[in-house]
């Protein structure tokens, strides 16, 4: 049994989660970034800097191919993990977005925010 330290964020880390296939770990931070780590070794893989505000949450699609994030900047971002780039920008909230999730089939996204709204997107 051991412990590893994964460093790189420049501000508090708000959320971390394993991908469903356990191959990745995603972390969301107040430094406005999402970082991707190897789920087996903890090794740093890449950083996503698509948000212009604090990142509150991350959520994985059920097939571990896509990563969703929510932010103070009122947007959600969908990242293609294999390509390490932005796949979709999901604007629509009038204020900060606190809660996000994928449907189990990976075809829909739901979010909730400070604007008292729940938004729903489908592919």
């Amino acid at each position: 049994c051991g412990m590893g330290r994964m460093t790189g964020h420049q501000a508090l880390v708000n959320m971390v989660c394993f991908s469903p296939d356990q191959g990745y770990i995603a972390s969301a931070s107040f430094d406005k970034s999402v970082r991707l780590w190897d789920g087996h070794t903890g090794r740093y893989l890449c950083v996503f800097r698509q948000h212009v505000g604090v990142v509150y949450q991350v959520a994985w699609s059920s097939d571990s191919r896509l990563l969703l994030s929510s932010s103070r900047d009122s947007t959600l971002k969908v990242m293609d993990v294999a390509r390490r780039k932005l796949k979709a920008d999901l604007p629509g909230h009038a204020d900060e977005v606190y809660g996000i999730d994928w449907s189990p089939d990976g075809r829909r996204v739901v979010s909730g925010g400070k604007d008292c709204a729940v938004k729903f997107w489908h592919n």
Side-chain angles (χ1 to χ4, degrees):
C1 184
M3 181 186 75
R5 181 175 169 90
M6 297 153 44
T7 60
H9 283 294
Q10 303 302 307
L12 75 85
V13 176
N14 199 50
M15 182 179 185
V16 295
C17 64
F18 276 97
S19 59
D21 69 3
Q22 300 181 44
Y24 299 102
I25 299 167
S27 56
S29 174
F30 274 36
D31 67 6
K32 304 176 187 175
S33 77
V34 172
R35 288 186 182 261
L36 192 63
W37 315 85
D38 183 287
H40 303 287
T41 66
R43 184 176 59 88
Y44 167 78
L45 298 174
C46 74
V47 63
F48 296 107
R49 296 188 189 277
Q50 277 75 24
H51 288 289
V52 296
V54 165
V55 182
Y56 292 123
Q57 287 205 347
V58 287
W60 289 96
S61 61
S62 58
D63 62 7
S64 301
R65 292 184 314 109
L66 301 174
L67 181 62
L68 178 69
S69 60
S70 68
S71 172
R72 180 181 287 166
D73 67 13
S74 78
T75 68
L76 285 76
K77 309 289 185 187
V78 180
M79 274 74 76
D80 181 316
V81 175
R83 293 192 170 119
R84 309 280 200 268
K85 65 184 213 176
L86 182 68
K87 180 175 176 67
D89 187 13
L90 304 177
H93 280 277
D95 211 331
E96 304 177 38
V97 184
Y98 297 126
I100 54 173
D101 201 10
W102 285 94
S103 62
D105 66 6
R107 298 177 69 174
R108 290 158 294 163
V109 166
V110 66
S111 63
K114 190 175 180 180
D115 59 1
C116 304
V118 174
K119 301 285 183 174
F120 177 83
W121 286 269
H122 56 87
N123 188 4

